[in-house]
Amino acid sequence: PFISFAWLLAVIAMLTVVGSIFRFAHQYWAITACYRAVTQIRKIVFRRLVHVAMASISMERTGDLLSRLVRDSSRLARGFMAVFGKAVRNILIGAACLLMAFWVDWMLTGIFVVALPLIMVLIYRFGRRIRHATRRALKGYGAMTNVLGESLQANKTVKLHQAEGYERRRF
C-alpha cells in the first residue's frame, strides 16, 4: 500500500509541475502578445495624431485625446488579457465538459447544442448594448479628463476670476 501511495504521490507531483510549466508558458506568451499588440496600436494612434492637421487637433479636446491614447489602450490590454489569457484553457475545459455532458445525458446535451445558436444571438445582442454603453462611458471619461486638464492648466485664471464654483460644477 505504501509503494502505491508513493507512486500516486509522485505522479500527482509530476503532473502538478508539468501543469505549472505549461500554465507559466501560456501566461508568458499571452501577456507578451497582448502588450505587443497594444504597443503597436499606441504607436499607430500616436503616429496619426502627430500627422493630423493643427485645425483638427485644436477642435478635439486634449483630455479626450489623452484618454483615448493612454486609458483606452490600457483597457484594451486588460481586455486582450481577459480574452487571450484564458482562451486555450477555457476551450479545453469546455470541450471536456461537453464530452462529459454527452456521456452523462446525451439527449439533454443534444437539446442544448440545438439551442446554442439562439443563445449565441442573445449574447451578441447584449454584447452590442455593452459596447455602446462602454463607448458612452469612455466619452464621458474623456470629457471629465478634459475639464480636469483645463482647470488645472488655467488654475491662476480660475482663481483670479473666482471661478472655483463654476469649475467644480463643470467637473
Side-chain angles (χ1 to χ4, degrees), residues 125-171:
R125 287 190 179 172
F126 285 128
R128 280 184 27 197
R129 286 184 179 179
I130 290 171
R131 279 193 302 276
H132 291 302
T134 301
R135 276 193 204 112
R136 285 193 310 269
L138 290 175
K139 284 182 182 179
Y141 180 80
M144 180 197 67
T145 307
N146 186 49
V147 168
L148 179 63
E150 288 175 359
S151 296
L152 293 177
Q153 285 177 344
N155 192 20
K156 290 180 183 177
T157 307
V158 169
K159 292 203 177 290
L160 179 69
H161 295 288
Q162 297 177 344
E164 291 93 344
Y166 170 76
E167 290 298 326
R168 199 173 44 247
R169 287 186 301 277
R170 202 172 82 140
F171 180 74

Side-chain angles (χ1 to χ4, degrees), residues 68-140:
R68 287 182 186 203
L69 185 60
V70 177
R71 183 155 168 96
D72 292 3
S73 60
S74 295
R75 285 186 176 199
L76 189 62
R78 284 195 302 269
F80 281 165
M81 283 304 302
V83 171
F84 298 122
K86 299 176 183 176
V88 173
R89 179 175 153 229
N90 289 342
I91 289 171
L92 291 175
I93 289 172
C97 288
L98 188 62
L99 288 174
M100 187 67 159
F102 271 115
W103 184 70
V104 170
D105 189 350
W106 65 270
M107 193 175 294
L108 185 61
T109 307
I111 292 170
F112 169 74
V113 170
V114 169
L116 193 60
L118 175 65
I119 295 169
M120 296 296 283
V121 167
L122 292 173
I123 289 172
Y124 176 76
R125 287 190 179 172
F126 285 128
R128 280 184 27 197
R129 286 184 179 179
I130 290 171
R131 279 193 302 276
H132 291 302
T134 301
R135 276 193 204 112
R136 285 193 310 269
L138 290 175
K139 284 182 182 179

Side-chain angles (χ1 to χ4, degrees), residues 1-11:
F2 179 74
I3 292 175
S4 297
F5 176 72
W7 273 105
L8 182 63
L9 193 60
V11 168

Side-chain angles (χ1 to χ4, degrees), residues 2 17 48-49 54 70 100 127 133:
F2 179 74
V17 169
R48 287 187 181 174
L49 284 175
M54 281 294 279
V70 177
M100 187 67 159

Side-chain angles (χ1 to χ4, degrees), residues 52-62 65 150:
V52 169
M54 281 294 279
S56 298
I57 291 228
S58 62
M59 290 172 59
E60 287 291 324
R61 296 178 302 205
T62 308
L65 294 173
E150 288 175 359

